[in-house]
Amino acid sequence: QAVDLEHRRITIIDAPGHKNYVPAMISGASQADVGILVISARKGEFEAGFEGLGQTREHAMLAKTLGVQKLIVVINKMDEQTVKWSQARFDSCVKKP
């Protein structure tokens, strides 16, 4: 989907995080100047995304390799039962290297 502004055109490409969609993610990221990475704050899901070759880590590395210069990280599912809007959980997600 594209949005035309006075001085630029913004194209929005959705690349799901599931490993079956990595080729779509690569295709979308190769055309991007800016990326938005949505990660889950849910306990267990967040950690799995960073362990070994977790999808979160893989997508961030692929975006950088493909030339995405700016990556906005959105922390989702803060309302989930294992998180309950916890500031400590948010802070631990933000500080993850």
Side-chain angles (χ1 to χ4, degrees):
Q1 179 177 351
V3 177
D4 291 312
L5 303 175
E6 186 175 340
H7 297 289
R8 66 186 50 163
R9 181 182 188 136
I10 299 171
T11 303
I12 300 168
I13 302 168
D14 182 14
H18 191 274
K19 65 183 177 182
N20 291 343
Y21 297 105
V22 169
M25 183 271 172
I26 291 170
S27 175
S30 68
Q31 301 172 52
D33 297 315
V34 176
I36 300 173
L37 180 64
V38 180
I39 61 174
S40 172
R42 182 180 288 163
K43 291 186 181 177
E45 283 184 12
F46 176 81
E47 290 76 12
F50 285 96
E51 290 175 0
L53 293 176
Q55 293 297 303
T56 303
R57 182 181 304 276
E58 181 181 20
H59 283 206
M61 289 173 37
L62 282 171
K64 183 176 181 179
T65 300
L66 292 167
V68 176
Q69 297 296 312
K70 297 187 188 305
L71 189 63
I72 299 165
V73 179
V74 177
I75 301 175
N76 193 19
K77 300 184 183 175
M78 288 294 295
D79 61 333
E80 203 271 328
Q81 288 301 310
T82 65
V83 181
K84 298 180 183 174
W85 299 102
S86 166
Q87 183 69 44
R89 181 61 174 171
F90 177 83
D91 292 342
S92 72
C93 293
V94 169
K95 292 178 185 173
K96 179 71 179 170

